Amino acid sequence: MDTEGTYDARGTGAERVPRPAGPPPAAPPPPTYAPQPRRPAADGPGVEEWLRTPRPVREPGVWRYGHVPRPPEKPEGVSDRSLLVGVLISVLSGLLLWSLWRNGYIPYRLVPLKLFTPGDWWYAGTFGGPRTIEGADALTVYEAVLFGLLVYGCGRLGNWSEIFRRHVAGRGQPFLGLATAAGGALAELLVWKDAVPLVRPVLILVASVAGGEIYQSQTVVNVIYALIALGVLWPFARLGRWRELAAARRGRAAAAVPDAPAGPPDAPTPEQWPELREAGMRDAAEALTAEVRTGRMNDVDVARLRHAWSVGRGHPERLAALTEAVLRTGGAAALHPSGARDLARRTVRHDLLTGQVRIGSCTDDPHNPYARRGSGVALEPALLGTSLLAVGPPGAGKSARLVRPVVESLALQALAGRAAVLAVGAGGELGPDDAFDVVVRIGDPASVHDFDLYGGTTDPDEAAGVLAEGLVGDVTHLDSRRAATVLAQLLGPYRAVHGHFPGVPALRELLDGDTAAIDALREALGAGGHQSMLRELEARTRQKGGAGDPGPVLADRIALLDRPAFAPFFATGDQARPFSLRSLEHLPLRVRIDLPERAHAEASRLLTRLVLAQFTAVTAARTDRSLFVCLVLDDATHTVTAETVRGIRRLRSVNAGALLTLRTVDDVPEGLHTALLGAVGCCMAFSGVTTWDGKRFAEVWGKEWVETREVAQHAVFADQPFTRALHGLRKLVTGKVVTRDAVTVRRVERERWSASELAYQVPPGHAVLSVTTVEGEHAPPLLVTLDG
C-alpha cells in the first residue's frame, strides 16, 4: 500500500497487515487521482464550509461542530395577564392624577414652585395662582416637568418595559420597527394637539434663554418645531432600531447585486492550511487548498493529512517525503494501508477534526442543566479512553444507536491514521464487511482469517496467563493464577518441541492427561535435551488429579472449542492463518470478529473473555502509544473478570479504551459490580433498566445539592367582626376556608437520578449518560435522546 512513509514512521509497514496464508497478492496499482465527494456526510456541507465552521471548546460530551451556546436562563416573570392588568391600572391611575391636578383638587400643588420663584409672580395665599406672565410661564414648565415624572412613575409602576420586550421587541423585525413607528406617530399627534405638554414649555424655555425676539424669524421657529418633532421620534427610533433595520434592508439589496471577487484575506482561512504556510511549505499548502476548493478532497483526507503532518513534524526527512507526496498526488497522499479514503456509507454525523460522533441531544428535562438542554451529545477518543459501560434490556437500542455509531466513527478515524478499532459481536450487526480491513468469522469455513488463541506472543507464561483468563476467569471458586501455572507447564514444553503452541485438540489431550500424548511429549523433550521443560512437564504430571487441580475445568472449557464447527480454526502450525491482536499495536486497523452466538453461546462467551484479556494485555505492553486503540464488545455478558477489570482501569493511561454493553449489571459477578462501575469513566443507562440496576447507577452518580420549595396552607382566623363576616361570605361563595400560604425554601442533598426514575421515567429511545475525560473532567448524568 502507498503509505508515503507516514505509517512507516512508527516502524511498521503495509506488509504487516494480517493476510491469509498463501502466496502474497500482487501489488495493487497506485491510487487513482479521482475527485472525491466534497461533503463530509450525505446531507452535510462542503469541505470548505465544514472547515470554516467554528468548534468552540465546551464541556465534555458536547457536539462542538457549529455549537451555539444557549441564551442565559431568564427568571420566571409575571404572567401576561398580570402585565396587562398592571399597564391598565397604571394608565388609569395616571389619568386620574393628572385630571385631579389640572382641576385643582390636589392641595398645596403650587407650594414647591412658589418656593423657588419670586413672590410677586403669584397671588397671596396657598391656592393663589399666577399674577404675571412670568408666573404663568413658570407654571406651564412646572406642569410639563410633573407630567414627565408622572409618565415615568406610571411606566415603572405598570412595568411597561417588560411588556414592550415581551410582546413587541420579542417579535423581532420588521414588527418592532412598524410598532415603534406607529407609537411615534401617535406621540407626534398628541404633542401637536397639546394633549401632552411639550411644545409650549420648550418655546418658553427657548425664549427665556435666547430672548423673545428669536421668534421674529419664521425660519428659527420652523427649526425649533423640527427639533421638537425629531426629539419626540428619537426614543422610538432607538427602541425600534430603525438604523439597524435600514442597514439590513440596504444589505439585502446589495447582496442581490453580485460584486467583484474580493482579494485574498490577510490571514489564511482553515481551508488554506495555515499550519503548512507557517512552516514554509507554501507549495504543499497551495496544492491542498486547490484540492479542497475543487472538491477532490473529503473530510477523511483533511484529517489524515493533518495527522500525518503532526506525526512527521519532528522528523524532517519524513516531512519532506510527505511534502513530495502531496505535490504528486494531492489529497491522495499518505493513504491508509487499505487504500480507502472513506466508508461506503455513513449512518450518523461525524466531525473528524474533533474526532466526535453525534449520538443524540439533551432533552429539555429538569434533570439536565439549563445550558445543556437542546445541545448535541457526542463521543470521542478523549471520552472512550476512560471506557464506557452501557446497560439496557434487549431492544433498547444499544447496538443500533450506540455501538454502530462508535464503530463507524473509529473506522473513519482509522482511515485518518489516528485510531485502531476491534469490534466483537454477532455477524453483520457491527457494519458491512467493506468497512473493515480484517473480518474474522469464527465458525464460518469461508472466513479468510483465523483467530490466535495465544495473542501472538511467544512467551509461554504470558500466553498461559491470558488463555487462563479466557477459559476460567468466570469461575469464582478457581484461582486463574493456578490455572495459568497449569497451562504454562504444558505450553512451554510443547513449544520447545514443536516450535509453536499446541492447537485445540492437542491442548485438550494434554489437559485431559492423555497418557500417549504425555509420553510422546516427554520422550521428545528428553531427546531434545530440554531438561528444564521436562521438569515442568513432570511437575504437571505429579499435580494431576490432586485436590483443587484446575486441569479438569480447563479441559472442559477447552472442549467447547474442540467442536466440528471450529475444526479449521485456532490452528498453530505452518499452515495457520491466525489474526493476532498485536497487529493493533502500530497499525490503524479496522478489525471485526464475528462470534457464533446462536449455535455456540458458551464458546462465544469464552472467546469474548479471551479477546478482552488479550486486548488489555497487548495495549498495556505497547511502547508506542500514539495510536488510540479501542475495543467494542457488543455483548459483554459473563466476560468481565477481576483481572480484566484491573486491565480496563489501566487503559486510560495507555491511550486505549473499551466499550462494553450489558443487558443487566447482574451479567457480571456480584463481587465485581462496584469494581466495574468504578473502573469505567462513562456510564450509560438505557430505557427499561430495572430498579436494581438503577440503584447501582444512582450510587455511581451520587447526590447533589438542590433548592426545594415547600408551600403550606394555614387557615386565617379573623378577630374583627367585619373581617370575620367577609371570610364567612367568601367561604359561602367558594366553599373553601380562607387560608394563607407559608413558603419554605431550603437546600437539601438528593440523588441526581434515583433508581425509580431510571426505571420508570426514561422514555423509549432515550438513555442517561455520564462522561469523564482522560484528564479527569466530568459531566453530570444527562437524559439524552438517541438519534444515532
Side-chain angles (χ1 to χ4, degrees):
M1 301 299 174
D2 186 12
T3 62
E4 307 296 349
T6 304
Y7 303 108
D8 297 337
R10 289 193 283 264
T12 63
E15 66 276 10
R16 290 192 58 188
V17 179
R19 299 288 182 187
T32 57
Y33 191 51
Q36 297 291 324
R38 296 192 59 185
R39 296 183 178 274
D43 56 348
V47 176
E48 189 172 353
E49 181 183 351
W50 173 74
L51 282 170
R52 293 187 178 185
T53 303
R55 296 166 174 83
V57 179
R58 304 299 300 173
E59 297 83 3
V62 176
W63 173 251
R64 293 169 51 190
Y65 177 79
H67 175 75
V68 178
R70 193 176 186 185
E73 185 176 7
K74 296 181 180 179
E76 294 183 2
V78 296
S79 62
D80 293 343
R81 179 179 178 181
S82 300
L83 281 176
L84 294 175
V85 171
V87 169
L88 181 61
I89 291 176
S90 63
V91 170
L92 294 178
S93 300
L95 292 176
L96 177 62
L97 286 175
W98 186 245
S99 177
L100 294 176
W101 172 273
R102 294 297 298 267
N103 291 294
Y105 290 104
I106 298 179
Y108 309 106
R109 63 190 186 95
L110 299 181
V111 172
L113 180 61
K114 291 180 179 180
L115 292 176
F116 296 98
T117 54
D120 56 356
W121 287 7
W122 312 95
Y123 288 107
T126 305
F127 296 95
R131 175 187 295 176
T132 62
I133 297 177
E134 291 80 0
D137 293 343
L139 179 59
T140 302
V141 175
Y142 179 60
E143 288 182 344
V145 173
L146 290 179
F147 181 82
L149 294 176
L150 180 63
V151 172
Y152 176 78
C154 292
R156 292 296 300 272
L157 179 66
N159 206 2
W160 295 1
S161 59
E162 177 63 23
I163 199 169
F164 175 80
R165 284 193 297 268
R166 186 178 300 183
H167 295 285
V168 180
R171 297 190 179 185
Q173 300 288 9
F175 180 83
L176 176 61
L178 295 176
T180 51
L186 178 61
E188 292 282 1
L189 179 63
L190 296 177
V191 166
W192 296 111
K193 289 293 185 179
D194 208 22
V196 175
L198 181 63
V199 177
R200 289 184 60 197
V202 170
L203 295 176
I204 291 172
L205 290 175
V206 171
S208 63
V209 173
E213 296 81 4
I214 193 174
Y215 294 120
Q216 294 179 0
S217 173
Q218 186 63 35
T219 303
V220 173
V221 174
N222 294 337
V223 170
I224 294 175
Y225 285 165
L227 292 176
I228 292 174
L230 292 176
V232 171
L233 290 178
W234 180 78
F236 294 94
R238 288 289 302 274
L239 292 174
R241 303 171 186 172
W242 293 358
R243 179 181 299 178
E244 298 177 10
L245 180 61
R249 296 281 181 177
R250 289 195 301 269
R252 282 195 290 269
V257 180
D259 297 333
D266 297 334
T269 51
E271 75 276 5
Q272 294 178 329
W273 301 80
E275 63 274 14
L276 298 183
R277 297 178 187 272
E278 292 176 2
M281 305 166 61
R282 297 188 61 87
D283 293 340
E286 292 292 343
L288 293 178
T289 302
E291 293 279 293
V292 171
R293 291 179 173 174
T294 56
R296 290 197 292 264
M297 288 183 68
N298 58 15
D299 54 342
V300 178
D301 296 330
V302 173
R304 186 184 68 252
L305 290 175
R306 285 195 172 191
H307 177 71
W309 158 254
S310 63
V311 169
R313 198 172 344 186
H315 306 278
E317 66 284 357
R318 296 167 185 163
L319 208 58
L322 177 62
T323 303
E324 180 184 356
V326 168
L327 295 176
R328 187 177 72 254
T329 60
L335 280 179
H336 184 265
S338 65
R341 298 175 64 177
D342 201 352
L343 298 180
R345 180 174 176 266
R346 303 188 189 184
T347 59
V348 291
R349 296 181 62 187
H350 303 272
D351 183 25
L352 290 177
L353 285 189
T354 59
Q356 291 186 319
V357 52
R358 182 186 173 103
I359 63 172
S361 59
C362 291
T363 62
D364 190 2
D365 187 87
H367 287 92
N368 294 340
Y370 174 82
R372 293 298 305 271
R373 298 174 190 173
S375 63
V377 178
L379 296 175
E380 57 184 303
L383 303 179
L384 296 174
T386 63
S387 300
L388 189 152
L389 175 66
V391 178
K398 301 187 298 298
S399 298
R401 300 184 179 184
L402 174 64
V403 174
R404 285 200 63 169
V406 170
V407 171
E408 186 176 293
S409 174
L410 293 172
L412 287 172
Q413 294 183 55
L415 293 180
R418 301 189 304 196
V421 56
L422 172 62
V424 182
E429 294 185 1
L430 301 179
D433 292 352
D434 56 7
F436 297 92
D437 303 310
V438 177
V439 178
V440 181
R441 297 184 178 90
I442 298 178
D444 185 356
S447 177
V448 177
H449 294 87
D450 196 352
F451 180 71
D452 189 354
L453 291 179
Y454 305 99
T457 183
T458 58
D459 184 1
D461 293 326
E462 182 181 353
V466 175
L467 184 58
E469 196 64 34
L471 292 177
V472 296
D474 61 328
V475 181
T476 56
H477 65 275
L478 182 62
D479 188 358
S480 60
R481 290 174 295 182
R482 294 192 60 187
T485 301
V486 171
L487 287 172
Q489 291 172 342
L490 297 175
L491 296 182
Y494 190 94
R495 179 174 175 79
V497 171
H498 299 280
H500 56 80
F501 292 124
V504 170
L507 181 58
R508 181 182 179 183
E509 289 179 352
L510 294 175
L511 288 173
D512 281 333
D514 183 79
T515 305
I518 295 294
D519 291 343
L521 184 58
R522 183 183 294 112
E523 293 177 2
L525 288 173
H530 304 289
Q531 296 301 321
S532 61
M533 292 300 171
L534 184 59
R535 287 194 298 270
E536 288 287 309
L537 183 61
E538 294 297 340
R540 172 60 198 145
T541 303
R542 290 192 302 270
Q543 295 169 2
K544 178 179 179 299
D549 179 21
V553 180
L554 289 170
D556 290 342
R557 287 300 178 88
I558 201 66
L560 295 174
L561 302 181
D562 191 16
R563 306 297 301 166
F566 303 138
F569 286 84
F570 315 125
T572 57
D574 296 335
Q575 299 300 320
R577 49 181 185 179
F579 165 75
S580 171
L581 265 63
R582 293 191 179 274
S583 302
L584 300 173
E585 290 185 359
H586 305 292
L587 289 174
L589 289 178
R590 303 165 295 166
V591 183
R592 193 187 80 204
I593 299 178
D594 295 342
L595 301 175
E597 293 184 353
R598 295 182 179 178
H600 303 277
E602 192 62 31
S604 297
R605 294 172 183 173
L606 187 153
L607 291 171
T608 306
R609 282 196 303 272
L610 185 58
V611 169
L612 180 57
Q614 288 186 7
F615 180 81
T616 55
V618 168
T619 53
R622 288 194 305 166
T623 56
D624 182 5
R625 299 172 178 174
S626 60
L627 190 69
F628 177 72
V629 184
C630 188
L631 169 67
V632 180
L633 296 183
D634 191 31
D635 185 5
T637 302
H638 300 299
T639 61
V640 178
T641 65
E643 185 61 33
T644 54
V645 168
R646 287 188 285 269
I648 290 172
R649 188 179 292 112
R650 293 192 297 264
L651 290 180
R652 69 173 67 187
S653 62
V654 295
N655 195 23
L659 190 159
L660 314 176
T661 67
L662 296 171
R663 295 182 178 91
T664 174
V665 181
D666 289 331
D667 289 338
V668 176
E670 185 176 359
L672 297 178
H673 289 176
T674 302
L676 177 60
L677 290 171
V680 298
C682 306
C683 296
M684 197 169 186
F686 280 76
S687 171
V689 296
T690 63
T691 52
W692 292 272
D693 289 341
K695 180 180 178 181
R696 296 180 179 93
F697 281 107
E699 292 174 352
V700 171
W701 291 327
K703 300 179 179 180
E704 63 178 346
W705 288 98
V706 296
E707 202 171 73
T708 61
R709 180 185 178 95
E710 298 179 355
V711 181
Q713 292 184 340
H714 301 283
V716 178
F717 299 97
D719 297 332
Q720 301 299 324
F722 181 72
T723 307
R724 191 179 299 114
L726 289 178
H727 287 184
L729 179 62
R730 181 175 176 181
K731 181 179 179 182
L732 182 63
V733 173
T734 61
K736 297 180 181 179
V737 179
V738 179
T739 60
R740 69 170 180 268
D741 293 340
V743 181
T744 303
V745 179
R746 59 180 179 176
R747 287 174 57 83
V748 297
E749 195 176 21
R750 288 185 177 176
E751 293 177 330
R752 299 178 186 270
W753 281 88
S754 68
S756 298
E757 289 173 335
L758 289 172
Y760 301 112
Q761 294 187 13
V762 178
H766 292 66
V768 180
L769 170 66
S770 67
V771 296
T772 305
T773 65
V774 291
E775 290 82 12
E777 189 176 358
H778 296 266
L782 304 172
L783 181 61
V784 179
T785 302
L786 299 174
D787 53 16

